[in-house]
Amino acid sequence: MIPTDFYPECFWGVAVAESRCSGQATLCSPRFNSPFNTQYQSKMSDETEQQQPFQAEVQQLLDIVINSLYTDKEIFVRELVSNASDALEKLRHLQLTEKEIFDHDLPLEINITTDDTAKTITISDYGIGMTRDELVENIGTIAHSGSKQFLKAMNEDAKKESSLIGQFGVGFYSAFMVAKEVKVYTHSWRNDGEHLVWISDGKTGYTIEEAPGQRRGCKIVVELRDNEEDHDYGQFSTSSVIKGILEKYSNFVPFPINLNGERINTVEAIWLKPKKEVTDEQYTEFYKFVAHAWDEPRFKMHFQADSPIVINSLLFVPSENKEKWGMGQQEPHVALYCKKVLIDPNPKALLPEWLRFLGGVIDSADLPLNISRESMQDSALIQKLNRVVTKRFLRDLGKEAQSDGDKYMEFYKEFRRFIKEGIATDPEHQESLAKLLRFESSMTEPGEFTSLSDYLTRAKDGQEKIYYLVGNDRETIEQGPYLEAFKARGLEVIYFDEPIDEYVVSSLQKFDEKDLVSAAQADLDLGDAPEAEGEALSDEDATKLCEFLTETLGDAVEKVEVGKRLVDSPVAAMNPEGQMSPQVREMLKAMNQAGASPMKVQLEINPRHELIKNLAAKHESNPELAKLAAQQLLDSALLAAGLLDSQMPLLKRGYDILKEALK
Ligand code: ADP
């Protein structure tokens, strides 16, 4: 048990590192990423005494909050306590650099009082407080793009609200779920700050008035709404209810929380404890605290090592991929600690970028406490931590995949993007990551996935390649002309059906020493197909037909050949080796890039196909129709290959052919 009564100078029970944050521009706090505004300008005018309207977006947000979609109203307590904790964290960092701090002897703690006669709950902290400008800026407007995204997401799918509210930092406004009025009494840490109170009913705007005697920090008085038939707002002015909520959500807040004078939270650095001493509930609770998360963790990885460096690390994979709603790239949020002291809540170089979905803590006793953020990127020690933790994470994930395939697949479906991104961007871990890939294939049922290793266990004797096809989805891939040759020979083909897969194969190239080869590639020697049905064209007729087609199709083809691969389709456009794939070309085209000019393909004809045999028989007697047929075959092959730029000629020519045929 870690002693917790060292406050206020201590965090997780250990003294704060001197000078670990330089200046005030980037303050370390688990939840604050935005620069702290140090520009205080005294602005006192009659105008601000009058009611100010909220910024339109705040109003929108408040409407959502007040007409509450949120069923979980108690979360406002957690939000306000989190803000208080952040404000204290910021103050603690300022104490390292600032000599003059208003009310400097106040303890770093959070005090909560309830009054069930007045129906209020009051949450006060002795943190950094706010100036008048900061009040306007921080709680009268939405500066964070995250909150704007939140609004967007809410409009799109209002049901996700309770998991979104914390994530987007709409925290403070959650008070209006339960409040008829909120008062924020505050004095900034600056000696020249004002004693102020911000007052709002959340509906009509806010006023800022003077509040003589206010101490440093913030005191937020929430006057609860009157009870309604199915809503008991009054409960939040009852000590026992608030105690229960605090015990649920706020155990890991790194500052003392007192409720009506009684100390509530215990502070523990659970990542330093032996695994067997930590319960699942504690892990989950800690995850929610450290990752500012609402969901349950999907996986946790708690590991301790003494060599090559001392590491105590506790990592969590969330339930949900937070990037999946198109809200941009997440910040890395595995915090870096040294012996329980927070060095940086969002260190960029600590883990590879593709691991940004992880939350948690990495603590290394080997780190110098005064490491600055700037030098961190280059620090050999950080690189070592990065390597060791990433390797370990991949190893543990691999074990999870082995021991519970279904659970792993659930993870994979949600987070595969990151695994694939890692393969395309991180050569060092590519090999381990490739083992974690899962795909559908010609030998899996729809919706079933296989790994590359399992593919190899099914490979035919002497099969030296791993075959794949890229396409938009399983159906498109299976209806194309490429698969049939592989199916006829019992060769498995992996389906790559996401745009990023193109990067995955081109970066990976090999798995377990075996080349990854596109099944659409020309010049693949698959050996003879077993007992091809039907009579084929004679060599002589086939050669003549190929010559006719080469001449008719001109520059559009590199060459026309009799193929051994086709079974049911008359023709297929093969991708000559070394040429870019249709998918890459598609991307270049979308970006309007050079290099997307029409590609020359190699056309393979199926000498057993009725259509090809008829064409061979007719091309001399009815050259006009044969030319139309040749063009039509090429365009159909290009369409199947994803290489046809315009489909209209195909359509129009189809009518011309029908016209001829029906004559
Ligand atoms: P978030 O905490 O995610 O930034 P909030 O809506 O909860 O979003 O708070 C908005 C801003 O108001 C905070 O970023 C902070 O600048 C300011 N704020 C809120 N509560 C406090 C507090 N107790 N002390 C100082 N500043 C606060």
Side-chain angles (χ1 to χ4, degrees):
M1 192 66 187
I2 291 146
T4 53
D5 47 355
F6 290 18
Y7 291 100
E9 312 82 359
C10 304
F11 186 26
W12 308 112
V14 170
V16 177
E18 290 293 323
S19 73
R20 67 182 185 276
C21 276
S22 52
Q24 305 149 13
T26 46
L27 290 167
C28 306
S29 142
R31 296 187 56 232
F32 284 79
N33 305 325
S34 52
F36 168 62
N37 179 9
T38 57
Q39 298 301 304
Y40 170 60
Q41 297 152 9
S42 173
K43 186 163 64 175
M44 179 64 202
S45 69
D46 291 344
E47 198 186 317
T48 49
E49 297 268 348
Q50 286 159 17
Q51 192 161 59
Q52 300 296 306
F54 287 112
Q55 180 199 33
E57 277 150 328
V58 174
Q59 194 59 62
Q60 221 180 326
L61 193 65
L62 281 168
D63 289 345
I64 295 172
V65 168
I66 290 174
N67 299 318
S68 196
L69 297 157
Y70 310 121
T71 44
D72 225 0
K73 300 205 183 290
E74 66 183 33
I75 59 162
F76 85 94
V77 177
R78 188 184 109 154
E79 287 304 302
L80 297 186
V81 169
S82 276
N83 282 350
S85 169
D86 288 343
L88 289 165
E89 182 70 30
K90 285 179 173 179
L91 190 89
R92 194 168 50 190
H93 284 97
L94 283 173
Q95 285 173 333
L96 299 174
T97 51
E98 297 294 324
K99 297 214 168 44
E100 304 258 307
I101 288 190
F102 181 70
D103 264 349
H104 70 276
D105 51 355
L106 284 177
L108 298 192
E109 64 184 25
I110 299 167
N111 290 298
I112 301 176
T113 52
T114 52
D115 181 339
D116 61 3
T117 313
K119 299 282 176 242
T120 57
I121 167 169
T122 302
I123 299 178
S124 359
D125 65 74
Y126 298 131
I128 54 169
M130 282 181 270
T131 62
R132 187 181 289 268
D133 284 352
E134 283 163 358
L135 273 174
V136 173
E137 193 174 311
N138 296 343
I139 53 180
T141 55
I142 298 184
H144 318 277
S145 60
S147 304
K148 292 182 185 167
Q149 296 280 22
F150 168 80
L151 280 174
K152 203 166 141 244
M154 289 297 291
N155 293 339
E156 279 159 14
D157 186 354
K159 293 199 185 76
K160 295 190 193 121
E161 78 287 342
S162 64
S163 67
L164 291 183
I165 190 165
Q167 198 179 320
F168 293 94
V170 291
F172 170 75
Y173 305 105
S174 64
F176 288 102
M177 288 193 293
V178 298
K180 63 167 111 150
E181 184 176 78
V182 177
K183 292 193 176 112
V184 181
Y185 292 87
T186 186
H187 190 292
S188 163
W189 63 275
R190 294 163 194 279
N191 272 329
D192 57 358
E194 297 168 80
H195 305 263
L196 298 169
V197 56
W198 177 101
I199 306 172
S200 174
D201 59 4
K203 295 186 191 123
T204 48
Y206 61 88
T207 56
I208 298 177
E209 293 163 20
E210 291 207 50
Q214 171 57 30
R215 313 291 310 258
R216 183 192 74 220
C218 276
K219 182 173 84 182
I220 299 181
V221 184
V222 177
E223 190 186 332
L224 297 162
R225 289 202 225 174
D226 299 330
N227 282 348
E228 288 160 16
E229 206 174 309
D230 42 4
H231 285 302
D232 176 9
Y233 297 106
Q235 60 175 315
F236 300 118
S237 60
T238 313
S239 189
S240 58
V241 171
I242 298 300
K243 189 173 176 193
I245 299 172
L246 290 171
E247 280 167 350
K248 191 151 130 202
Y249 294 124
S250 306
N251 237 353
F252 294 99
V253 170
F255 298 95
I257 302 177
N258 304 309
L259 173 64
N260 297 324
E262 181 199 348
R263 174 71 183 270
I264 298 290
N265 61 332
T266 52
V267 182
E268 278 185 292
I270 65 165
W271 62 89
L272 293 182
K273 294 180 88 178
K275 279 188 226 180
K276 57 179 185 320
E277 287 179 24
V278 186
T279 63
D280 283 348
E281 289 72 40
Q282 282 174 312
Y283 278 127
T284 302
E285 200 186 323
F286 180 68
Y287 160 71
K288 290 186 176 176
F289 166 72
V290 76
H292 199 219
W294 294 92
D295 53 354
E296 300 283 308
R298 194 180 278 276
F299 292 124
K300 63 161 194 306
M301 285 170 195
H302 187 179
F303 94 95
Q304 287 140 347
D306 288 330
S307 96
I309 34 178
V310 182
I311 299 176
N312 287 277
S313 147
L314 180 50
L315 302 177
F316 297 97
V317 175
S319 312
E320 287 187 340
N321 165 8
K322 306 272 186 319
E323 290 183 12
K324 75 178 173 192
W325 297 311
M327 298 190 188
Q329 190 154 322
Q330 264 185 295
E331 284 276 304
H333 56 289
V334 171
L336 181 64
Y337 284 79
C338 171
K339 294 189 233 164
K340 300 187 239 170
V341 176
L342 180 66
I343 309 270
D344 189 339
N346 307 99
K348 293 234 167 6
L350 182 58
L351 288 173
E353 202 176 320
W354 57 269
L355 273 178
R356 61 187 178 276
F357 62 95
L358 290 183
V361 168
I362 296 177
D363 188 321
S364 176
D366 287 343
L367 279 173
L369 279 181
N370 60 359
I371 188 165
S372 76
R373 289 173 181 219
E374 292 71 33
S375 65
M376 227 168 67
Q377 203 114 350
D378 309 320
S379 152
L381 211 64
I382 295 290
Q383 285 166 17
K384 205 184 258 183
L385 272 177
N386 182 325
R387 206 167 303 127
V388 174
V389 175
T390 306
K391 281 216 166 86
R392 178 62 187 245
F393 172 75
L394 286 171
R395 203 191 77 186
D396 286 2
L397 194 59
K399 278 195 199 156
E400 293 279 357
Q402 294 283 322
S403 66
D404 189 344
D406 291 344
K407 190 171 174 208
Y408 176 75
M409 269 317 298
E410 279 172 27
F411 157 82
Y412 187 76
K413 285 181 183 156
E414 191 75 13
F415 292 94
R416 62 182 183 278
R417 231 215 96 81
F418 297 95
I419 305 279
K420 294 180 178 182
E421 184 184 319
I423 292 183
T425 57
D426 186 354
E428 187 175 348
H429 302 107
Q430 201 175 62
E431 213 179 303
S432 321
L433 280 163
K435 293 188 185 137
L436 296 168
L437 286 173
R438 299 290 183 270
F439 296 103
E440 291 195 41
S441 87
S442 56
M443 289 195 186
T444 65
E445 293 297 317
E448 298 285 315
F449 286 69
T450 182
S451 66
L452 291 170
S453 316
D454 285 348
Y455 173 101
L456 288 178
T457 61
R458 291 187 292 266
K460 299 210 121 189
D461 281 350
Q463 182 187 331
E464 286 304 314
K465 296 184 167 71
I466 297 174
Y467 297 107
Y468 68 85
L469 277 170
V470 186
N472 289 342
D473 50 49
R474 184 176 180 113
E475 206 185 347
T476 317
I477 295 173
E478 292 194 330
Q479 283 176 0
Y482 304 104
L483 199 58
E484 48 198 57
F486 292 82
K487 277 205 156 155
R489 291 164 177 81
L491 292 167
E492 183 171 1
V493 178
I494 297 268
Y495 300 162
F496 285 137
D497 59 4
E498 291 191 307
I500 193 175
D501 291 341
E502 188 62 45
Y503 295 102
V504 172
V505 260
S506 61
S507 339
L508 200 55
Q509 294 194 10
K510 278 180 193 295
F511 178 80
D512 207 7
E513 316 265 291
K514 305 268 190 299
D515 285 333
L516 287 161
V517 173
S518 165
Q521 191 177 303
D523 307 323
L524 280 185
D525 183 7
L526 301 179
D528 280 337
E531 293 173 35
E533 277 174 29
E535 203 172 323
L537 278 178
S538 70
D539 286 353
E540 191 188 341
D541 287 349
T543 313
K544 270 198 202 152
L545 181 62
C546 288
E547 279 167 9
F548 164 75
L549 289 172
T550 311
E551 196 180 316
T552 309
L553 301 174
D555 280 350
V557 288
E558 200 174 81
K559 62 176 169 184
V560 182
E561 271 189 336
V562 176
K564 288 193 197 134
R565 290 162 55 174
L566 296 173
V567 180
D568 297 323
S569 309
V571 282
M574 300 295 172
N575 202 13
E577 209 178 346
Q579 279 216 35
M580 76 180 72
S581 70
Q583 288 69 29
V584 171
R585 180 172 172 268
E586 204 49 45
M587 269 182 298
L588 289 177
K589 235 171 66 188
M591 295 186 305
N592 246 341
Q593 294 279 319
S597 52
M599 272 170 63
K600 272 194 168 191
V601 293
Q602 204 164 305
L603 201 64
E604 266 191 35
I605 59 169
N606 178 355
R608 286 186 175 77
H609 199 281
E610 214 47 38
L611 177 50
I612 296 298
K613 289 197 277 191
N614 288 344
L615 185 60
K618 293 260 172 72
H619 79 268
E620 280 170 352
S621 60
N622 190 351
E624 284 316 306
L625 182 60
K627 275 184 191 161
L628 283 176
Q631 287 292 350
Q632 195 72 351
L633 282 171
L634 173 66
D635 278 5
S636 310
L638 291 176
L639 180 68
L643 286 169
L644 190 69
D645 288 332
S646 162
Q647 300 186 2
M648 285 320 281
L650 182 84
L651 199 70
K652 199 168 161 301
R653 204 180 305 111
Y655 296 142
D656 292 345
I657 293 172
L658 282 176
K659 205 166 65 191
E660 278 297 306
L662 293 171
K663 250 187 194 168

